[in-house]
Amino acid sequence: MGSNSVREPSYITAAGTEEAPPSLITTRNSVSSGPQKQKGKRRLLKWFNPGVILPLLAGVLFLLLWEYQVFHKLFDLKKYQLPLPSAIWEAMRENYSLLLSYTGYTLTEAVVGMLIGSACGFLIALAATAWPRWGGGSLTLVAALNAVPIVALAPIMNLWFGDGIGSRAAIVTATTMAAMAINAYKGMAAVDPLALDLMHSYAAGKPAVFRYLRIQNSLPYVFTALKINATASMIGAIVGEFFFSSRGLGYLLSNSIKVAKMPLGWSCIVLAAIAGVLFYLMVERLEKVFIKWHSSQRS
């Protein structure tokens, strides 16, 4: 009488021997370690991404060439004309509390001025789109204002708003208004004609067209203008402090050059660059949050 038990299937190998099939049931550890390994691998690949590692290597090479005075020999410069990175770092370490305070002051001027200037530019773009006959000329006026150099605006703004933070904020406002007005106007005007026809077919009024079509279409252009203004506002604030100010990175930079404290002056330049980059990255992060629906953010 034969047995009722079912024999497990076996496989004949190439050598002619009989072996049990490989198990298809994985253990809990092997299941959980797979995603972790993949996550660690992705993290490792992220750090060794050529887009990250190459700029870092280029920056390190640039600092090494600077520290070992290769640029001094190439351009016939003395150490007081181009301080070494180690001297700049020492100046930053010795004056970090003063530099931190002045960086915050300059950044406040830049942010306040940029917000006011960008808001004014957006309103000008709205007016130019809603009433092209009357508002269109405002774009020309804003472009003309943007062509005025900051060195000419600084004394005028100082007369109007005094020597406090208001004059530098006004300078930044004047320098950031044009980029926002022109970019936002382009975004509101460049709408899809079929979408506009659809809105008109539903008898949508001008406020509804602006709310649901034109303003939404202008948001990518608005963030482009904000990213331009993030760095331009730092330039406007620092240049404004050169003329009339008792605080800020521009004031400290000007005074450091006058008394030949070049490492401290270069410390101001380094901190201004870092603040500008951080400001730019913050705006870029806001762009990813607020317009993540746009095709440019989904790639």
Side-chain angles (χ1 to χ4, degrees):
M1 187 175 177
S3 174
N4 293 330
S5 61
V6 179
R7 186 184 178 191
E8 291 185 358
S10 58
Y11 292 86
I12 304 299
T13 63
T17 57
E18 190 173 342
E19 292 183 357
S23 176
L24 297 178
I25 301 174
T26 57
T27 61
R28 180 179 297 179
N29 289 335
S30 62
V31 171
S32 61
S33 61
Q36 290 179 356
K37 285 183 179 177
Q38 290 180 356
K39 188 176 179 181
K41 191 176 180 180
R42 283 197 298 267
R43 190 177 300 167
L44 194 64
L45 288 174
K46 182 180 178 182
W47 280 106
F48 284 96
N49 185 358
V52 175
I53 200 72
L54 289 179
L56 286 176
L57 289 176
V60 172
L61 178 63
F62 180 79
L63 288 176
L64 287 175
L65 293 175
W66 187 354
E67 180 66 27
Y68 288 100
Q69 304 181 34
V70 175
F71 298 135
H72 295 75
K73 294 172 185 173
L74 284 175
F75 302 106
D76 193 21
L77 296 172
K78 308 298 180 189
K79 286 184 182 178
Y80 71 88
Q81 294 173 310
L82 181 61
L84 299 178
S86 56
I88 297 171
W89 170 251
E90 188 66 22
M92 292 174 68
R93 197 178 61 82
E94 291 176 354
N95 303 279
Y96 75 95
S97 58
L98 178 68
L99 288 168
L100 204 61
S101 169
Y102 281 9
T103 302
Y105 185 80
T106 302
L107 198 57
T108 303
E109 294 172 345
V111 171
V112 171
M114 191 197 79
L115 290 178
I116 298 173
S118 299
C120 293
F122 189 79
L123 290 176
I124 291 170
L126 274 176
T129 309
W131 302 285
R133 182 177 297 178
W134 306 103
S138 58
L139 291 175
T140 307
L141 291 176
V142 170
L145 178 63
N146 193 49
V148 178
I150 299 175
V151 292
L153 281 175
I156 297 170
M157 296 302 173
N158 183 61
L159 285 174
W160 288 3
F161 300 100
D163 58 353
I165 193 173
S167 61
R168 266 86 63 192
I171 294 170
V172 176
T173 298
T175 55
T176 56
M177 200 184 305
M180 176 58 73
I182 294 170
N183 278 279
Y185 174 76
K186 184 177 180 183
M188 291 180 197
V191 294
D192 187 355
L194 294 178
L196 196 58
D197 289 342
L198 181 63
M199 295 288 290
H200 289 158
S201 68
Y202 283 106
K206 188 176 282 189
V209 171
F210 268 87
R211 181 179 177 184
Y212 296 108
L213 185 59
R214 291 192 186 277
I215 291 179
Q216 288 201 19
N217 193 66
S218 72
L219 289 181
Y221 297 87
V222 167
F223 276 100
T224 299
L226 287 176
K227 285 190 280 188
I228 295 171
N229 288 340
T231 51
S233 60
M234 287 296 295
I235 297 171
I238 289 174
V239 174
E241 288 169 353
F242 260 83
F243 297 94
F244 303 100
S245 181
S246 57
R247 293 182 65 190
L249 289 177
Y251 163 76
L252 187 59
L253 175 59
S254 174
N255 275 5
S256 300
I257 293 173
K258 287 176 185 173
V259 297
K261 289 184 178 180
M262 295 305 292
L264 184 58
W266 275 86
S267 303
C268 299
I269 295 172
V270 171
L271 285 176
I274 293 173
V277 169
L278 292 178
F279 195 13
Y280 176 86
L281 293 177
M282 187 178 69
V283 175
E284 192 177 48
R285 182 61 186 164
L286 290 174
E287 181 184 21
K288 292 183 183 299
V289 172
F290 284 103
I291 60 168
K292 57 185 177 184
W293 47 268
H294 194 260
S295 58
S296 63
Q297 305 301 318
R298 283 180 288 177
S299 59

